[in-house]
Amino acid sequence: MTVVEEIPPGPGAGTGAADSADDRLRDRTAELVALRERVHQGPGERATEAQHAKGKLTARERIALLFDEGAFSEIEELRRHRATGFGLEDRRPHTDGVVTGWGKVHGRTVFAYAHDFRIFGGALGEAHAEKIHKLMDLAEAAGAPVVGLCDGAGARIQEGVTALAGYGGIFTRNVRNSGVIPQISVILGPCAGGAAYSPALTDFVFMVRGTAQMFITGPDVVQAVTGEAITHDALGGADTHAAVSGVAHFACDDEESCLEDVRHLLSMLPANNRELPPSAPPSDRPDRRTEALLDLVPADPSRAYDMRAVIEEIVDDGDYLEIQERWATNIVCALARLDGQVVGVVANQPSAFAGVLDIRASEKAARFVQTCDSFNVPLVTLVDVPGFLPGVDQEHGGIIRHGAKLLYAYCNATVPRVQVIVRKAYGGAYIVMDSRSIGADVSLAWPSNEIAVMGAEGAANVVFRREIAAASDPDATRARLVKEYRAELMHPYYAAERGLVDSVIDPADTRIRLIDTLAMLRAKHAPLPSRKHGNQPQ
């Protein structure tokens, strides 16, 4: 690997000379300032130009965009590796290829590390890893989020197993801090091999189109083993992981917009699991009626509409941050505010596969519910679901265990939970979408709701199969029996009469009722039984 212009050793390095009696503190301080200036400049203009030529910012430029102006404190900027062999003893740049420290994002403390691709290609060695370990330990002790700005060539081959052990230390801390402090990975360049597992262990992953790639084995290895020819971007680029694999929660067009989105996400998350999400002064009236909902949602359960329009109408100023927007589009997961308080919204999407629950949708929603529960974000579930997707592929793919992940996540959640049944809610999917029977604190329903084991047509075909078959006019008989079944068991007040829905509400009051209900639940305390941990479905 070619290494461009390294920073020369600092003043007095390796001389072994004792301090002169004539040295003054001012002189030593001036030397320190000059050394820091060289460290901050990096390995040279050519290396910086090469980074910019790839459409990428430097580590310090990224840090400047992430943090409030002048609010970053760096640690171990003078750290250098101690490795020898393969010429490493002659190349000992300060920082060892990673910038670490803490600062303020919207006035709140955040820790970050940023790989410097200009130094050793951002590859991780022993000293590099120890800097990240120290940063993560500080973040855990301080109870503040960690953001990793990833742009590195993986383990430093010249350092062998010590580099691999460095990754192990990062993974251990990722897991120990899971659900304790928010962890965000921002992929801004290559992230291959074992390095990809740290982002996979964090809460949110951002990727930048055109420059970010993430995979376990690269295109060359894939072609050698399987014969499949594929580009780096098609194998592990931002769009691939945002739409196909689901690894990336956000895909951004450039680094500037990406880091601005990271700042926005941080503004909606608490510093740690012992705090509530930060509130914001509401600019939208809590008593605002949502009359538009009466026209947005068709009463006919077979007609499609965009659930995102419903969310936009309900939340403060129509503003929400959708998570994994392009993956498993039949369910919507988003962070938003109601009366200035952060909420997590889970909603079936009738415009994509009729809003049916399948393997991917179950996994996506389960992960989001767990994340919200970890960080004390109340859950609002908007239900319009025809059931689980039938099919051989789904059954053989494990829809039972994957669907159980969503069920487990809701049953295990102790945050305030409010269900709103917008339209249809059929079968096991109704139960799984945070019904009262699995622990929703309050269930609200619109007068368009249909809660049943299945749709009226399917139910009539099962219940009245013989009667329909024996009729002189089967079609007319079926239509009559469907109407009778719907009137008897699927009218909008059936579940309310049995206490499974707390209130049937005017859709125009949805926002008002949600704000009032969540305010009532703000001090909710629901302790779990003592246990080491649950054994959730895999």
Side-chain angles (χ1 to χ4, degrees):
M1 174 169 53
T2 302
V3 180
V4 293
E5 304 175 43
E6 304 295 356
I7 301 172
T15 63
D19 290 346
S20 167
D22 295 329
D23 283 346
R24 293 184 301 153
L25 183 57
R26 288 183 184 275
D27 296 333
R28 290 304 176 99
T29 302
E31 289 178 354
L32 172 63
V33 171
L35 174 59
R36 278 184 170 164
E37 179 62 27
R38 291 198 299 274
V39 171
H40 289 181
Q41 286 176 356
E45 213 37 59
R46 282 191 301 161
T48 300
E49 289 173 2
Q51 181 79 347
H52 288 164
K54 297 172 185 174
K56 300 194 296 183
L57 301 176
T58 66
R60 295 185 186 279
E61 288 170 339
R62 292 162 175 165
I63 289 287
L65 287 173
L66 175 63
F67 289 98
D68 300 345
E69 187 174 356
F72 179 68
S73 298
E74 188 172 351
I75 57 172
E76 294 206 353
E77 59 194 310
L78 303 182
R79 185 72 179 263
R80 303 163 76 193
H81 73 74
R82 299 173 294 180
T84 58
F86 306 101
L88 285 179
E89 62 273 14
D90 299 322
R91 295 180 295 171
R92 300 180 61 225
H94 292 99
T95 74
D96 201 48
V98 64
V99 179
T100 55
W102 68 85
K104 300 290 185 181
V105 175
H106 298 300
R108 301 165 67 228
T109 299
V110 173
F111 289 76
Y113 63 87
H115 297 137
D116 192 340
F117 194 83
R118 301 172 302 164
I119 298 175
F120 294 127
L124 181 140
E126 181 183 25
H128 184 123
E130 287 177 353
K131 288 181 66 174
I132 297 175
H133 296 170
K134 179 182 286 187
L135 181 92
M136 296 177 78
D137 290 343
L138 282 171
E140 180 183 358
V146 172
V147 178
L149 305 179
C150 304
D151 183 11
R156 195 174 299 169
I157 298 172
Q158 299 95 322
E159 295 195 31
V161 71
T162 56
L164 296 178
Y167 275 122
I170 293 172
F171 302 158
T172 298
R173 288 165 174 82
N174 286 141
V175 173
R176 189 171 70 221
N177 290 326
S178 180
V180 179
I181 55 176
Q183 300 179 77
I184 299 173
S185 296
V186 188
I187 315 302
L188 302 162
C191 184
Y197 281 115
S198 179
L201 291 169
T202 59
D203 301 303
F204 298 97
V205 176
F206 289 77
M207 295 185 73
V208 174
R209 293 185 177 92
T211 57
Q213 296 99 32
M214 189 163 43
F215 37 67
I216 300 301
T217 55
D220 293 341
V221 176
V222 169
Q223 184 165 14
V225 174
T226 70
E228 299 171 282
I230 191 167
T231 65
H232 285 79
D233 213 46
L235 180 63
D239 288 321
T240 296
H241 284 310
V244 180
S245 73
V247 170
H249 298 81
F250 303 94
C252 306
D253 291 329
D254 52 65
E255 294 192 17
E256 291 82 1
S257 63
C258 179
L259 292 169
E260 186 56 42
D261 285 348
V262 174
R263 287 173 56 86
H264 181 44
L265 174 61
L266 285 166
S267 75
M268 305 186 81
L269 297 174
N272 55 67
N273 64 342
R274 301 182 302 277
E275 297 183 5
L276 294 175
S279 60
S283 55
D284 197 348
R285 294 186 300 111
D287 61 347
R288 173 172 61 83
R289 282 173 55 83
T290 50
E291 297 281 355
L293 295 178
L294 296 168
D295 300 315
L296 281 174
V297 180
D300 181 353
S302 64
R303 288 183 57 194
Y305 63 94
D306 192 343
M307 183 64 84
R308 289 173 296 188
V310 174
I311 297 170
E312 188 174 331
E313 181 65 23
I314 292 171
V315 303
D316 289 359
D317 302 309
D319 183 34
Y320 62 92
L321 179 64
E322 187 169 352
I323 313 297
Q324 294 179 301
E325 178 181 358
R326 298 174 57 201
W327 188 67
T329 56
N330 40 326
I331 201 157
V332 177
C333 299
L335 292 171
R337 293 185 186 273
L338 284 170
D339 197 28
Q341 304 294 326
V342 178
V343 297
V345 180
V346 181
N348 305 113
Q349 175 57 292
S351 68
F353 307 106
V356 71
L357 283 179
D358 60 4
I359 289 172
R360 289 186 170 189
S362 299
E363 286 190 336
K364 173 179 171 179
R367 174 69 171 178
F368 182 72
V369 168
Q370 287 178 171
T371 301
C372 289
D373 188 50
S374 294
F375 297 114
N376 306 313
V377 177
L379 288 162
V380 172
T381 304
L382 305 178
V383 183
D384 190 348
V385 62
F388 282 94
L389 180 64
V392 174
D393 288 345
Q394 288 290 305
E395 296 296 342
H396 289 183
I399 185 62
I400 294 172
R401 60 186 174 87
H402 291 291
K405 291 178 184 178
L406 180 54
L407 181 60
Y408 186 100
Y410 268 125
C411 290
N412 201 48
T414 60
V415 292
R417 293 156 51 188
V418 183
Q419 179 196 49
V420 180
I421 301 170
V422 174
R423 211 167 53 169
K424 57 188 175 295
Y426 297 158
Y430 154 68
I431 302 171
V432 169
M433 289 297 293
D434 205 20
S435 63
R436 280 302 306 270
S437 61
I438 65 168
D441 296 296
V442 174
S443 177
L444 307 174
W446 290 6
S448 52
N449 83 82
E450 289 186 355
I451 306 173
V453 175
M454 61 178 68
E457 289 78 6
N461 287 337
V462 173
V463 176
F464 306 113
R465 180 178 65 254
R466 294 178 179 175
E467 187 175 343
I468 293 171
S472 57
D473 187 348
D475 291 338
T477 302
R478 180 184 294 105
R480 175 177 58 81
L481 293 173
V482 165
K483 185 176 180 181
E484 290 178 5
Y485 182 89
R486 179 174 282 116
E488 182 69 23
L489 294 177
M490 295 181 65
H491 63 80
Y493 310 107
Y494 184 84
E497 290 170 358
R498 286 152 182 80
L500 298 174
V501 165
D502 294 293
S503 184
V504 179
I505 65 171
D506 179 346
D509 289 333
T510 303
R511 171 180 165 81
I512 298 170
R513 292 295 298 269
L514 283 173
I515 289 173
D516 178 63
T517 303
L518 290 169
M520 176 271 294
L521 290 167
R522 195 156 295 146
K524 175 185 175 182
H525 179 63
L528 290 170
S530 177
R531 59 184 176 183
K532 187 174 181 180
H533 56 73
N535 188 19
Q536 69 181 72
Q538 295 299 320

